[in-house]
Amino acid sequence: MFLKRIEMQGFKSFADPIVINFEHGITGVVGPNGCGKSNITDAVRWVLGEQSVKSMRGSSMSDIIFNGTLSRRKVNTASVTLVFDNNGQLLNHESQEIEVTRRIHRESGEGEYYINKKPVRLKDIQNLTLDSGIGKDSLSIISQGTISNFADAKPI
């Protein structure tokens, strides 16, 4: 099982549709300050069920929706889809490829979850990833500041 790609639109700094493809193995996201690296890890954690606005570096959940710039209008919906290769059946689902999507709407504040384009509950997303080693709090995603915490930790 591995993350094949992320599809985003309207999420934080990613106003336009974007697809990020991944290969087998370890992936590092690198780039200059302010280019959106942390927003990619935020997107993964958000789809997997992150509910803490503070951990998403915002003050309300609508802060994750692209808010516009001087030259671009704000958008009304943020959507992120994670596509997993599930050939090893590590995720609790019979499909060989699994799409997990989360969407939020600015006007209503309502959010939606989907597995393979079928509406589900947050609990269904959590059950899907149970015992897989992935999740919003797992060490399979190392977010901003985590490396510093490891480096600064006492040997014990």
Side-chain angles (χ1 to χ4, degrees):
M1 187 259 321
F2 74 98
L3 179 60
K4 291 173 69 171
R5 71 181 174 273
I6 301 173
E7 302 168 0
M8 295 184 276
Q9 182 171 0
F11 185 84
K12 291 195 168 191
S13 58
F14 299 101
D16 295 323
I18 185 170
V19 176
I20 302 170
N21 292 297
F22 298 101
E23 301 296 326
H24 282 283
I26 296 172
T27 299
V29 179
V30 297
N33 290 343
C35 72
K37 300 179 302 292
S38 295
N39 291 345
I40 294 170
T41 58
D42 285 350
V44 173
R45 287 189 6 264
W46 183 68
V47 172
L48 295 176
E50 182 60 68
Q51 300 296 304
S52 168
V53 175
K54 184 178 176 185
S55 74
M56 299 289 295
R57 299 171 293 125
S59 58
S60 76
M61 199 52 84
S62 66
D63 288 344
I64 66 153
I65 304 171
F66 179 75
N67 205 28
T69 65
L70 292 175
S71 60
R72 302 257 341 231
R73 298 178 79 176
K74 68 181 179 181
V75 299
N76 292 319
T77 303
S79 177
V80 177
T81 298
L82 306 179
V83 180
F84 293 97
D85 178 302
N86 193 38
N87 283 323
Q89 300 294 302
L90 288 175
L91 293 176
N92 189 18
H93 202 279
E94 66 279 354
S95 297
Q96 299 294 312
E97 184 174 274
I98 299 172
E99 292 185 10
V100 180
T101 302
R102 185 172 179 184
R103 191 172 294 137
I104 187 171
H105 304 279
R106 184 183 304 279
E107 301 263 332
S108 65
E110 294 288 317
E112 304 157 357
Y113 293 92
Y114 299 88
I115 296 176
N116 289 348
K117 298 182 175 47
K118 294 179 184 167
V120 296
R121 307 164 299 166
L122 170 57
K123 181 116 178 106
D124 298 317
I125 303 292
Q126 293 166 335
N127 287 340
L128 174 72
T129 60
L130 198 64
D131 298 328
S132 68
I134 63 167
K136 67 179 185 69
D137 296 322
S138 80
L139 290 177
S140 59
I141 305 163
I142 300 175
S143 300
Q144 184 174 353
T146 305
I147 297 294
S148 297
N149 292 341
F150 288 154
D152 294 341
K154 302 285 185 227
I156 293 172

